[in-house]
Amino acid sequence: MKPIHAFPLAGAILVALAAAPLFVSDYWTGVLLGMTGYVTLATAWALFSGPTRYVSLATVAFFGVGAYTVAVLNETLPYPLVLASAAGIGAVIALVVGLSTLRLAGVYFVIFTFGLAELVRQTVSWWEVNVTYTMGRYVFLPFEGRHIYWQLLALATVTLLISWGIGRTRLGLALQAIGDDETVAAHAGIDVTRVKLLLFVISATLITLTGAIQAPRWTYIEPSIVFNPTVSFMTLIMALLGGAMRLWGPLVGAIPLFFLFEWLSVSFPDHFSIILGLLFILIVFWMPQGVLAKIEDLRKGGRT
């Protein structure tokens, strides 16, 4: 099914999802909220890392910055301005980081982005302890779980539409060329650095907004909560499972893995990280292009 033909069905599903909190319990609203958050994170991650094949582990850095921005500003600014501030801060950080690092490639970029997340966490912790003399902040906003869920659902929809739109522009063609071979793309006249920087900023801004919108969910925020590196690894695994190069790939990977991870974290809390690592290894070796690509290969094999 081509993406454009799937839109009527997607619209009907979106309406059903939006209405769900009116008919389900608070528990299931919370489950839908968590699932939608990871769908958004995986799709936003794939915007940049999918076509460029740059594996970023900085997801939690931007996610945490968004949540902390809300924690700091929620008592002084109207909520829409708080979200706008979070998006602006995330975009500026991504711009600075991108200008400094997007000439790196392969394992060097992976290591840097992992280090960036830890650097941001340690910097925020140091600031809280030594400047504000605290180690956490309260977020008092008049939102119930369903309100947060509706915001995330809207952001997930916008993220999918951005991904769909980029894939049908010259920018999408440039990204495809960069993913195939950066050197050839540069010789063809593509400004490789500018294209990668633009996508990195868009991706990071959407991830930052995801963290900002979810901040009221916790009420109390501290670095260990919003800068948990597990967020980066779960987002990566979800996007890879579905297929980071396909529009619906991150969504296909995020939904089943979210429920699996929820069950594993409850059933095997002491072994969750080990299981997470094993799943990552299995996905990389068995389905490096994702579930959707695997299904396409099986279909082609069945026709021959």
Side-chain angles (χ1 to χ4, degrees):
M1 181 182 293
K2 294 182 179 180
I4 194 168
H5 295 154
F7 279 167
L9 175 61
I13 293 173
L14 179 62
V15 171
L17 288 172
L22 302 176
F23 303 99
V24 301
S25 65
D26 290 342
Y27 169 78
W28 282 106
T29 297
V31 170
L32 288 172
L33 190 161
M35 179 190 73
T36 307
Y38 271 108
V39 166
T40 310
L41 287 175
T43 306
W45 182 90
L47 270 176
F48 168 75
S49 294
T52 63
R53 294 179 173 84
Y54 275 55
V55 177
S56 171
L57 292 177
T59 303
V60 76
F62 295 103
F63 181 88
V65 164
Y68 244 94
T69 300
V70 174
V72 171
L73 299 179
N74 77 97
E75 295 182 1
T76 58
L77 291 177
Y79 183 65
L81 286 181
V82 173
L83 290 185
S85 299
I89 292 171
V92 169
I93 293 174
L95 184 63
V96 173
V97 170
L99 287 171
S100 306
T101 65
L102 286 181
R103 289 179 175 83
L104 298 175
V107 68
Y108 300 104
F109 183 78
V110 177
I111 293 172
F112 177 85
T113 54
F114 181 78
L116 173 68
E118 184 64 16
L119 173 64
V120 172
R121 184 180 73 85
Q122 293 292 348
T123 301
V124 171
S125 299
W126 179 88
W127 180 269
E128 292 287 74
V129 171
N130 295 282
V131 178
T132 64
Y133 303 107
T134 183
M135 196 54 181
R137 295 176 180 268
Y138 289 95
V139 180
F140 296 113
L141 288 169
F143 294 140
E144 298 177 11
R146 58 180 178 172
H147 302 133
I148 300 171
Y149 166 68
W150 284 328
Q151 293 178 65
L152 283 175
L153 187 61
L155 182 60
T157 304
V158 169
T159 304
L160 281 165
L161 288 173
I162 290 173
S163 180
W164 175 80
I166 288 174
R168 279 148 185 79
T169 62
R170 294 180 64 183
L171 178 59
L173 292 174
L175 282 168
Q176 185 176 353
I178 292 171
D180 291 338
D181 194 312
E182 282 193 23
T183 304
V184 173
H187 286 308
I190 297 173
D191 190 335
V192 173
T193 300
R194 186 173 68 177
V195 170
K196 290 192 297 183
L197 181 62
L198 175 62
L199 260 293
F200 186 68
V201 170
I202 294 173
S203 172
T205 302
L206 292 168
I207 291 170
T208 305
L209 281 171
T210 306
I213 290 171
Q214 291 197 68
R217 178 185 183 188
W218 292 291
T219 306
Y220 178 78
I221 286 177
E222 63 179 38
S224 63
I225 296 174
V226 295
F227 291 104
N228 186 339
T230 302
V231 173
S232 291
F233 288 104
M234 288 176 62
T235 300
L236 167 63
I237 293 171
M238 289 173 175
L240 291 181
L241 175 64
M245 291 290 292
R246 286 164 170 76
L247 175 64
W248 303 107
L251 185 148
V252 169
I255 293 176
L257 281 185
F258 172 77
F259 287 104
L260 176 62
F261 291 153
E262 284 289 295
W263 177 73
L264 289 174
S265 63
V266 173
S267 303
F268 305 97
D270 296 330
H271 305 91
F272 179 72
S273 297
I274 297 174
I275 297 172
L276 197 67
L278 290 174
L279 280 172
F280 177 73
I281 293 171
L282 286 173
I283 290 170
V284 168
F285 278 96
W286 187 46
M287 292 182 295
Q289 302 301 319
V291 169
L292 295 183
K294 192 75 172 179
I295 293 173
E296 289 179 7
D297 290 342
L298 291 174
R299 285 179 175 176
K300 291 177 181 177
R303 295 193 189 109
T304 57

